Amino acid sequence: MTIKVAIAGDHGGFALKTQIQNDYKGSDVEWIDLGTNSEESVDYPDYGYKLADFVASGQADFGVAICGSGIGISMALNRHPEIRAAVCANTTMARLTRIDNNANVLCLGARTTGSLVALDCVHTFLTTDFEAGGRHERRVGKLNKAIERA
Ligand code: RB5
């Protein structure tokens, strides 16, 4: 089954964004590239907001976001009420944020995480299911409630 994954990042993430898509050539992952498309300096919030709207609207099943540290773009993404974006620096984080948090966007730091580890994080994130129906679902529900209260 093909899954649709939107991918976006700033100039710091451009090379890794290209590498990830190349690594998946001929696979059942359909990438939707929302830019940026060069190493010319841009602002990560612009790409975080664009990706957040795209994933939240259901046009993609998941998102992958990249900036220098992964942190700035995750902050932008998490301002959207329907986005749960997680910065991951290893595969355990990528696995647990799917199982525990039902994260819908994986954030990577191109300047802080090696590219092979980053690729492994993408693979783990996209192949791990949320553990629905129990305590994790209750907790994720509380994240949504906190936004309603704000
Ligand atoms: C861009 O130079 C850098 O600030 C950005 O990619 C990111 O690391 C911010 O969180």
Side-chain angles (χ1 to χ4, degrees):
M1 195 186 73
T2 302
I3 59 166
K4 284 188 183 184
V5 185
I7 187 165
D10 71 0
H11 52 289
F14 172 64
L16 181 58
K17 179 166 70 63
T18 306
Q19 196 176 351
I20 290 169
Q21 290 175 90
N22 286 341
D23 196 68
Y24 273 83
K25 274 211 170 102
S27 76
D28 57 358
V29 177
E30 181 190 327
W31 293 97
I32 301 143
D33 191 337
L34 302 179
T36 188
N37 290 316
S38 78
E39 285 180 358
E40 192 179 322
S41 183
V42 293
D43 299 334
Y44 60 80
D46 297 336
Y47 292 88
Y49 299 147
K50 193 174 176 183
L51 181 62
D53 286 339
F54 202 87
V55 173
S57 69
Q59 293 177 82
D61 300 303
F62 294 106
V64 173
I66 313 163
C67 67
S69 62
I71 296 170
I73 203 160
S74 77
M75 290 179 173
L77 279 150
N78 279 317
R79 286 171 185 259
H80 193 296
E82 283 163 50
I83 295 297
R84 290 172 304 282
V87 185
C88 297
N90 59 56
T91 53
T92 307
M93 295 171 81
R95 184 166 58 84
L96 291 179
T97 200
R98 286 290 305 128
I99 293 172
D100 292 7
N101 318 126
N102 199 14
N104 51 10
V105 181
L106 168 69
C107 300
L108 297 165
R111 295 175 182 159
T112 55
T113 304
S115 60
L116 291 183
V117 174
L119 285 166
D120 285 347
C121 287
V122 172
H123 178 73
T124 301
F125 188 86
L126 296 181
T127 56
T128 305
D129 290 329
F130 175 49
E131 206 173 273
R135 66 194 189 285
H136 298 312
E137 193 161 328
R138 184 181 71 241
R139 291 163 187 163
V140 171
K142 287 189 177 183
L143 293 177
N144 298 339
K145 279 219 162 54
I147 288 164
E148 284 163 20
R149 280 173 31 212

